[in-house]
Amino acid sequence: MTLLRHTSADQDVQREALTVNPAKTCQPIGAMYAALGLHRCLPHSHGSQGCCAYHRSTLSRHYKEPAMAGTSSFTEGSSVFGGQANLLAAIENIFTVYNPDVIAVHTTCLSETIGDDVPQIVEAAIDKGLLPEGKMVIHANTPSYVGSHTTGFATMTKAMVDYIAQSSGAEKIRDQVNLIPGWVEPADMSELKRLVKLMGLDPVTFPDTSGVLDSPQTGIHEMFPAGGATVDSIRSAGDSCHTIALGPICSGPAAKALFAKCQIPQTTMPLPIGLKATDRFIMKLREINGGFVPDEIMTERGRVLDLMTDMHQYFYGKTAALWGDPDQLVSLAELLITLDMIPKFVVTGTPGKKFYKRMGEVLGDHAQGCKVDQGSCADMFQLHQWIKSDPDKVDLLIGNTYGKYIARDEDIPLIRHGFPILDRIGHQHFATVGYRGATRILEQILDAFLDRQDRDAPESGFELVM
Amino acid sequence: MSEHSPFDDDSEVAVTSESLRDDLLDAYPKKTRRKREKQVVVNHKQADESGLVSLPVIGANTRTIPGVITQRGCSYAGCKGVILGPTRDIVNITHGPIGCGFYSWLTRRNQTLAPTDEHDNFMPYCFSTDMQDENIIFGGEKKLAKAIEEAYELFKPKAIAVFSTCPVGLIGDDVHQVAAEMKEKLGINVFGFSCEGYKGVSQSAGHHIANNQIFKHVVGEDNTKRGKWSINLLGEYNIGGDAFLIEDLLQRCGIDLVATFSGNSTYDQFANSHMAQLNCVMCHRSINYVADMMEKKYGPPWIKVNFIGAKATAKSLRKIAEYFDDQELTEKVEAVISEEYPAVFEAQEIYKPRCEGKRAMLFVGGSRAHHYQELFAELGMKTIAAGYEFAHRDDYEGRDVLPDIKVDADSRNIEELHVDADPDHYRGNDRAKAIERERAGYKFKEYDGLMADMPEKALVIDDINHHESEELIRRMKPDLFCAGIKEKYAVQKMGVPCKQLHSYDYGGPYAGFQGAINFYKEIDRMVNAKVWSMIQPPWSDEAKQNAPSSSSIRRDG
């Protein structure tokens, strides 16, 4: 049986209005994920409760972990008259019952359409004495009808700067750098911190979901796990000597805000996925640390290169289809190019024309043979049609779990990468950034190709050694 | 099992149940406490002199308290996600920003099986108008019309349904008008649902809205006559293949299943469903509206059935046979039950001793918190606390309380369809037969609710939240907690296995006889897994104390 049996190559309907199998989701889930990267923070969804239930469920399915969040639980009445009473009640209940240090409020299409003014409601909460001593409420406006989940992540990350970061007025701390890791997995955040430390620098990392969405089984449920960036550390981000923002979509706005607010020079660069992007990340850190790279990092880099040299024959000329988030796709495409592979089809539902320019830069000479699309109607249905209409299809799919339907129908191996991954574990425990992360991605690609070769080989050509 | 289970029938322990309730409530600010008090109930059953048992009154189907970390979802989820999602040959377009469509894309496990690749199956697809800010400002009707047209050109479905999300109602898009125009233009059935997420207080409003529209726009289109023992199965969504097992049983009994609302269903089944002679209601909460409307308009009566649990399955099959009162059918039903039961007994012999006496808590949706108690009873397990996310008082206390239920301001805007008998297609025969059966003592439209089957002094909690769940688990140390994905991992972090009774943890089916056996195995696996005995590292003091104990993490408190 064919799963996506209605997708065919020769339907030439030009779609303007209908999105089919989206390569994005909506803002608030990104804000929720970012807020979980703040220590002792309860994310709060200001809207009707269905959004919050969906976002928590998706995060839990992805991480196999609790994902806590409150909601204002709008009714029809509050949708007409405004959600102030709901948010005030929520703030009182949350601090009384759950006692977080911070409530991070995001909005939905509902509260955005009716125009609720969250800062004004928070003021009212303070006036009514609903905020206990030392507690805070931060907020981000995250209308679901603008951008995508990555936009929501970026906005909540920026809110951490707007509400918390402060310049103490003293001199900038020479060894302290702000690391805004972007929308990556907890293990990626740990790996990035490790690299910064190896480079002799002290990272202020936010948001940081390591220790939150990869927490251990201890027999005790910690409502607020050990991980997460603390308010104090984010406050001190205003005194760092530099900000490195990884991924312009997810981290750029926070870095810019930090520059505007505390005059911290910033560098926004692609996510360090793959050899070249990691090289640039290390080069930037080297510029800040006075010019040294430790042997350990040299060795890690050498291992990736060694793998690339040894196994080049299996990578060379292979084609791939990619979908997901712009910051991820740009770096993944570059990684494939460095392997002499071709990222033939690339799709993101997240709007923003700069994506074409960035993809053009990494694709270079290959740009002619590749198809790239972004925004509404740039979806997985479109991607599937491209694959079907190409006589050679592609050799590999790289993207989230929804790709498994295409993978099965077209018999193309799938490497799960990005968000959400609902049907495998490991993604939050094994980094894909840095040289170590590149090694992991290369291993996954090789496994896919070699498994395929083993499966398809004739009896006589079935190889023991590859 | 614990020697101090708080619902044991002795006075000393009865205090414990009440005091536990107090402790749950004491954590709240005053206003919140006043509201939650009504929804957290100790199941005191009081018998009067004539032996008539009365149940405590529970607050249910009221608005959610902001900030308490509810399990609940919204009206869109109840309408699109639950009721209409499982039908494979209708293109369901979500009119809204991308999230709602994305999150309801393949996340409920309502399986479907089209006979061949030539048959439509749109379930692996997510269709959305992906509203942008300009659609919020200038309205989204044009984009919706265009999206419907594009969907028709690409997929040529026999019907297209449109589901409204939060902003649609606020900006005043008239989805019903757009649907009517596109129906005219395309020549296929196109209909809309005003299931904005803020309607009502939970998924429940969405059920009602879905019932109304499917009844208004589809049921009754196809008047093809059906066989002599024809039924509909209402409120069975084929999670993990439940409906497949039930379909198989019905088929072997010779019963003609016209339509299932809506697991493994098609448009044509709904269109013809009013020609069935009897409606069998599984999930009372989500579909009792269609059952009532069909009875009024076309005549077929309805009964409550339950295919969760071997005993319940046998009872339900017999109840159907009893209605038709035909020797041939009765014999077939008995033959199927006898074929199936030996394997069930065999499994019970293996698994019951391994599970007996263990204690479960169930906090699920609007029906399973009750249905699954039968399965636990078959394993000798006790249900010590239970409740629903979004059920109404009748699901807790039984349909006898229906006249006492007042619709509050939050749910008043959910339309009640006025239905009259159809002058051409009302079947007086079915009605007459029902009246005759009723005189003979056969019960229609009967549902006693969850509390009647719960042990005395068990806690019944409506719209339970995270605080209450965590406190219950810490204080009562159940052997198993049943809930959903949002609860699962927090519960397990506390060292207690959590069975998802929405998704079945990607297992199942659990309906019917074979399903019961699957469930016994699964529960044995969960409550007796070695992992629970290894949580404390060998170097911790607690681990040393507990070292020689059983494989489950019994920690009496």
Side-chain angles (χ1 to χ4, degrees):
Chain A
M1 288 275 194
T2 323
L3 293 165
L4 298 165
R5 65 182 65 152
H6 302 278
T7 309
S8 90
D10 32 276
Q11 289 155 326
D12 55 357
V13 176
Q14 287 302 309
R15 284 180 293 133
E16 294 164 23
L18 183 72
T19 292
V20 185
N21 299 358
K24 68 167 174 189
T25 181
C26 66
Q27 284 210 37
I29 195 170
M32 189 183 282
Y33 179 58
L36 288 167
L38 189 53
H39 184 57
R40 291 195 59 80
C41 170
L42 189 73
H44 183 83
S45 170
H46 187 53
S48 59
Q49 69 213 5
C51 313
C52 185
Y54 275 144
H55 300 144
R56 292 180 60 206
S57 299
T58 305
L59 288 168
S60 277
R61 288 180 183 127
H62 178 79
Y63 287 111
K64 318 298 178 202
E65 285 289 317
M68 288 295 163
T71 161
S72 296
S73 295
F74 274 51
T75 56
E76 192 154 11
S78 24
S79 306
V80 176
F81 301 112
Q84 168 151 344
N86 297 59
L87 186 51
L88 291 177
I91 288 172
E92 185 180 15
N93 283 322
I94 288 170
F95 281 127
T96 309
V97 181
Y98 297 112
N99 193 31
D101 289 348
V102 187
I103 298 175
V105 180
H106 61 259
T107 55
T108 68
C109 45
L110 177 53
S111 52
E112 285 295 329
T113 303
I114 64 176
D116 266 0
D117 182 349
V118 174
Q120 176 264 314
I121 300 174
V122 174
E123 281 301 314
I126 295 169
D127 289 348
K128 285 174 188 288
L130 298 179
L131 241 73
E133 187 69 30
K135 308 278 181 180
M136 65 191 302
V137 180
I138 68 172
H139 103 288
N141 290 95
T142 50
S144 312
Y145 43 78
V146 175
S148 76
H149 56 295
T150 62
T151 322
F153 182 93
T155 312
M156 184 52 85
T157 305
K158 178 177 171 291
M160 293 175 193
V161 171
D162 293 341
Y163 277 91
I164 306 173
Q166 262 173 31
S167 172
S168 67
E171 254 185 67
K172 302 294 182 209
I173 305 165
R174 263 194 52 201
D175 295 340
Q176 181 172 302
V177 292
N178 299 325
L179 174 66
I180 308 181
W183 190 327
V184 289
E185 296 290 350
D188 293 319
M189 299 192 183
S190 294
E191 175 65 8
L192 292 167
K193 284 190 285 184
R194 188 187 69 92
L195 288 173
V196 174
K197 284 179 196 157
L198 275 175
M199 292 293 287
L201 297 167
D202 188 11
V204 171
T205 310
F206 66 92
D208 180 3
T209 57
S210 63
V212 179
L213 288 163
D214 55 1
S215 72
Q217 164 70 284
T218 59
I220 297 164
H221 172 243
E222 299 285 0
M223 181 86 185
F224 305 107
T230 61
V231 167
D232 286 346
S233 75
I234 298 177
R235 187 174 296 123
S236 84
D239 290 330
S240 299
C241 68
H242 201 94
T243 299
I244 299 181
L246 301 175
I249 301 266
C250 286
S251 303
K256 283 191 195 86
L258 204 40
F259 177 73
K261 189 175 180 185
C262 306
Q263 291 77 53
I264 317 279
Q266 61 99 8
T267 307
T268 299
M269 53 199 310
L271 281 175
I273 293 174
L275 189 85
K276 281 192 169 177
T278 306
D279 282 352
R280 285 193 291 267
F281 177 57
I282 297 295
M283 286 295 280
K284 185 54 122 176
L285 293 167
R286 186 171 165 275
E287 221 176 280
I288 300 166
N289 77 2
F292 77 95
V293 178
D295 289 349
E296 199 170 338
I297 289 183
M298 294 289 288
T299 309
E300 286 172 14
R301 182 178 193 274
R303 287 196 187 113
V304 184
L305 271 175
D306 195 52
L307 211 163
M308 285 166 66
T309 7
D310 295 347
M311 307 305 274
H312 185 257
Q313 72 196 79
Y314 301 105
F315 295 121
Y316 179 76
K318 294 281 197 337
T319 58
L322 278 58
W323 66 98
D325 304 340
D327 290 343
Q328 297 271 349
L329 291 172
V330 171
S331 296
L332 277 174
E334 187 185 43
L335 175 147
L336 296 183
I337 296 276
T338 59
L339 296 171
D340 291 309
M341 287 177 61
I342 301 156
K344 205 193 257 182
F345 306 128
V346 184
V347 156
T348 180
T350 297
K353 300 278 181 228
K354 277 185 190 157
F355 179 65
Y356 290 124
K357 187 171 166 277
R358 294 168 63 203
M359 281 303 300
E361 282 162 14
V362 298
L363 289 176
D365 298 344
H366 291 284
Q368 291 302 324
C370 299
K371 284 184 178 171
V372 178
D373 202 1
Q374 58 81 236
S376 278
C377 300
D379 47 33
M380 293 178 67
F381 182 78
Q382 167 76 80
L383 183 84
H384 194 179
Q385 283 193 312
W386 284 346
I387 294 170
K388 276 185 173 294
S389 58
D390 190 304
D392 299 323
K393 295 186 180 175
V394 286
D395 301 307
L396 187 65
L397 304 174
I398 304 180
N400 65 20
T401 284
Y402 283 99
K404 74 193 280 182
Y405 290 79
I406 300 175
R408 182 169 140 143
D409 277 358
E410 307 301 332
D411 191 22
I412 302 169
L414 165 68
I415 292 177
R416 287 164 177 79
H417 185 96
F419 181 84
I421 297 170
L422 308 169
D423 61 337
R424 293 292 187 274
I425 59 103
H427 42 276
Q428 84 249 52
H429 300 301
F430 303 103
T432 57
V433 298
Y435 301 117
R436 284 180 174 183
T439 310
R440 173 160 165 82
I441 296 180
L442 263 49
E443 185 208 11
Q444 286 180 314
I445 296 176
L446 274 174
D447 274 357
F449 288 153
L450 300 183
D451 280 350
R452 173 53 50 106
Q453 192 173 321
D454 278 343
R455 193 198 72 179
D456 295 343
E459 214 170 294
S460 55
F462 189 73
E463 300 289 343
L464 178 72
V465 185
M466 294 166 100
Chain B
M1 79 162 272
S2 167
E3 286 157 24
H4 303 287
S5 52
F7 61 85
D8 276 350
D9 200 9
D10 64 74
S11 56
E12 193 191 352
V13 177
V15 177
T16 311
S17 217
E18 298 288 357
S19 69
L20 176 57
R21 173 177 178 271
D22 278 342
D23 291 350
L24 293 180
L25 297 171
D26 283 347
Y28 294 118
K30 267 197 201 111
K31 237 194 287 173
T32 303
R33 192 188 205 282
R34 275 204 301 277
K35 290 175 187 160
R36 288 302 299 156
E37 266 172 4
K38 302 187 180 99
Q39 289 168 279
V40 182
V41 167
V42 178
N43 196 27
H44 279 303
K45 301 181 201 177
Q46 289 181 334
D48 65 11
E49 285 145 21
S50 65
L52 200 69
V53 175
S54 72
L55 298 166
V57 173
I58 190 164
N61 191 35
T62 53
R63 67 171 64 169
T64 316
I65 299 165
V68 294
I69 312 191
T70 177
Q71 298 180 338
R72 282 177 173 175
C74 67
S75 166
Y76 166 87
C79 182
K80 192 268 183 184
V82 173
I83 312 271
L84 271 301
T87 307
R88 64 174 165 264
D89 55 0
I90 301 176
V91 163
N92 290 329
I93 300 178
T94 299
H95 185 38
I98 201 67
C100 310
F102 181 87
Y103 304 114
S104 57
W105 179 19
L106 290 164
T107 45
R108 274 176 66 84
R109 299 181 60 231
N110 27 243
Q111 300 184 354
T112 201
L113 186 60
T116 72
D117 261 9
E118 303 309 308
H119 290 76
D120 286 344
N121 179 12
F122 301 116
M123 280 169 57
Y125 293 89
C126 163
F127 305 96
S128 172
T129 55
D130 188 15
M131 287 174 96
Q132 300 296 306
D133 43 0
E134 65 265 24
N135 307 128
I136 300 294
I137 298 164
F138 302 112
E141 291 180 5
K142 279 192 188 128
K143 191 174 194 186
L144 174 60
K146 190 89 185 48
I148 293 170
E149 206 165 344
E150 288 170 6
Y152 179 73
E153 286 172 35
L154 278 170
F155 298 96
K156 298 284 182 314
K158 60 178 61 167
I160 295 177
V162 178
F163 299 85
S164 303
T165 61
C166 287
V168 171
L170 299 175
I171 63 171
D173 274 3
D174 188 342
V175 297
H176 305 288
Q177 181 61 31
V178 174
E181 284 164 15
M182 296 314 289
K183 181 177 180 173
E184 182 73 35
K185 182 170 179 183
L186 302 174
I188 60 162
N189 199 354
V190 184
F191 46 101
F193 296 82
S194 291
C195 53
E196 286 85 349
Y198 55 75
K199 295 267 177 83
V201 299
S202 67
Q203 291 93 312
S204 181
H207 300 151
H208 198 160
I209 293 162
N211 277 236
N212 288 350
Q213 296 300 87
I214 204 76
F215 190 75
K216 215 167 24 177
H217 292 281
V218 186
V219 172
E221 270 195 350
D222 170 8
N223 292 308
T224 307
K225 287 216 166 60
R226 302 299 300 207
K228 55 179 175 175
W229 308 319
S230 59
I231 68 162
N232 295 318
L233 189 58
L234 303 190
E236 162 51 57
Y237 301 99
N238 201 23
I239 305 296
D242 277 352
F244 292 146
L245 289 183
I246 302 171
E247 285 169 15
D248 173 67
L249 290 173
L250 295 174
Q251 196 190 3
R252 283 155 60 200
C253 294
I255 295 165
D256 176 19
L257 179 61
V258 183
T260 301
F261 284 66
S262 50
N264 194 29
S265 64
T266 61
Y267 180 90
D268 290 345
Q269 290 175 7
F270 293 155
N272 187 222
S273 61
H274 62 301
M275 300 306 286
Q277 292 159 287
L278 178 69
N279 276 319
C280 301
V281 174
M282 273 282 284
C283 172
H284 176 259
R285 181 68 269 132
S286 64
I287 209 81
N288 72 84
Y289 316 95
V290 156
D292 273 342
M293 290 188 286
M294 222 188 274
E295 178 171 347
K296 277 189 197 140
K297 189 167 180 182
Y298 300 104
W302 69 264
I303 57 170
K304 177 78 182 72
V305 295
N306 178 19
F307 288 100
I308 300 298
K311 226 190 256 176
T313 300
K315 198 172 147 194
S316 296
L317 288 174
R318 285 178 177 134
K319 198 167 171 185
I320 295 169
E322 199 188 336
Y323 172 75
F324 289 108
D325 192 23
D326 183 321
Q327 185 63 25
E328 188 191 344
L329 177 60
T330 306
E331 279 168 17
K332 282 187 165 181
V333 162
E334 290 306 325
V336 168
I337 293 172
S338 334
E339 274 166 41
E340 294 280 337
Y341 241 106
V344 173
F345 282 136
E346 207 174 296
Q348 283 176 353
E349 259 173 56
I350 300 169
Y351 299 109
K352 195 173 172 188
R354 298 173 57 81
C355 300
E356 194 149 31
K358 293 197 187 288
R359 305 172 314 150
M361 293 181 176
L362 291 83
F363 293 95
V364 204
S367 82
R368 290 196 176 102
H370 184 196
H371 287 161
Y372 274 79
Q373 293 191 24
E374 304 225 17
L375 266 172
F376 285 118
E378 287 175 10
L379 284 169
M381 286 174 66
K382 280 191 183 177
T383 303
I384 56 171
Y388 298 119
E389 272 172 69
F390 50 72
H392 301 193
R393 278 185 61 201
D394 43 326
D395 304 291
Y396 284 103
E397 300 172 49
R399 286 177 59 92
D400 289 349
V401 302
L402 276 172
D404 303 335
I405 298 178
K406 292 186 188 71
V407 179
D408 71 11
D410 293 321
S411 300
R412 199 164 294 141
N413 288 345
I414 312 302
E415 190 187 10
E416 282 285 347
L417 285 191
H418 178 78
V419 179
D420 291 319
D422 184 310
D424 300 324
H425 298 106
Y426 186 85
R427 298 195 307 282
N429 290 349
D430 286 347
R431 201 66 237 138
K433 184 170 180 184
I435 292 166
E436 175 206 319
R437 289 254 149 282
E438 207 155 23
R439 282 204 191 107
Y442 190 90
K443 303 273 200 217
F444 293 98
K445 299 169 82 152
E446 184 192 44
Y447 181 48
D448 289 339
L450 163 144
M451 291 164 102
D453 285 342
M454 293 280 295
E456 175 68 15
K457 291 177 189 124
L459 276 169
V460 180
I461 304 181
D462 180 61
D463 185 21
I464 197 171
N465 55 49
H466 177 73
H467 150 70
E468 289 162 6
S469 311
E470 184 147 342
E471 197 62 22
L472 269 189
I473 292 168
R474 276 198 293 144
R475 297 285 294 273
M476 296 179 80
K477 314 285 183 213
D479 297 283
L480 185 72
F481 193 88
C482 301
I485 185 70
K486 299 191 296 300
E487 295 75 40
K488 181 176 176 86
Y489 301 106
V491 172
Q492 297 201 154
K493 286 276 198 274
M494 299 177 79
V496 173
C498 183
K499 179 68 192 165
Q500 290 187 68
L501 282 186
H502 299 274
S503 72
Y504 298 168
D505 291 314
Y506 326 108
Y510 296 141
F513 302 101
Q514 187 54 51
I517 297 169
N518 293 343
F519 194 74
Y520 303 157
K521 280 187 199 169
E522 171 67 0
I523 295 310
D524 171 42
R525 175 191 75 73
M526 293 191 87
V527 299
N528 294 315
K530 290 187 185 64
V531 64
W532 308 117
S533 67
M534 296 183 290
I535 292 172
Q536 295 308 324
W539 54 87
S540 86
D541 291 344
E542 202 176 327
K544 277 173 205 149
Q545 281 165 18
N546 291 345
S549 73
S550 70
S551 56
S552 79
I553 54 109
R554 177 79 287 122
R555 288 176 296 177
D556 289 336

